[in-house]
Amino acid sequence: MRSIEDIIAQEKDVQYQQRNKELFSYYTLTLINQDQAARRLRRRLKLTLWFMLPALIGLLLSPATGWLMTSFEAFSGVSFVRVLVMAVASYALAGVCVLMLKRTHVL
């Protein structure tokens, strides 16, 4: 395997000619636009997920509410609302921790 210095020296010796500058600029601008579109799409998906996640969790928990209410009625001292609030708070804290951990990694 050749070293990187040999490859760089070999590439410096080669003379490239741009035959069609318009095609090259079109191709370059297309690559830039694709990259920007991918970034916008990722940002929109993140925002959509961020706002849709609580609604999705609410929809998933709504059918189970009746069953949970009957199972929690056995515990007279424990309120269903308190348990639900603690569950939401713990998931929110876990989500914040995951986001903080993801932001520490540099892509």
Side-chain angles (χ1 to χ4, degrees):
M1 190 161 141
R2 299 183 310 186
S3 69
I4 191 73
E5 289 83 19
D6 295 336
I7 295 172
I8 292 172
Q10 182 182 5
E11 286 297 320
K12 283 184 180 180
D13 293 338
V14 177
Q15 295 293 325
Y16 292 103
Q17 293 181 357
Q18 186 63 43
R19 294 182 185 169
N20 192 348
K21 291 183 181 182
E22 291 176 5
L23 181 64
F24 176 73
S25 63
Y26 174 76
Y27 178 72
T28 305
L29 290 174
T30 303
L31 288 177
I32 292 170
N33 287 334
Q34 285 178 348
D35 185 45
Q36 289 174 348
R39 288 182 186 184
R40 281 193 305 267
L41 178 65
R42 272 188 246 122
R43 185 174 57 237
R44 288 179 184 164
L45 284 174
K46 285 179 186 178
L47 285 174
T48 302
L49 181 65
W50 185 254
F51 288 114
M52 293 298 291
L53 192 61
L56 201 78
I57 290 173
L59 284 175
L60 291 175
L61 285 179
S62 64
T65 306
W67 176 74
L68 288 173
M69 286 293 284
T70 56
S71 64
F72 278 119
E73 285 176 1
F75 303 106
S76 61
V78 178
S79 169
F80 175 72
V81 175
R82 287 183 182 174
V83 172
L84 189 62
V85 168
M86 288 303 295
V88 169
S90 64
Y91 278 113
L93 181 63
V96 168
C97 290
V98 167
L99 286 175
M100 288 176 59
L101 287 173
K102 279 189 175 183
R103 290 183 185 217
T104 58
H105 295 291
V106 177
L107 297 176

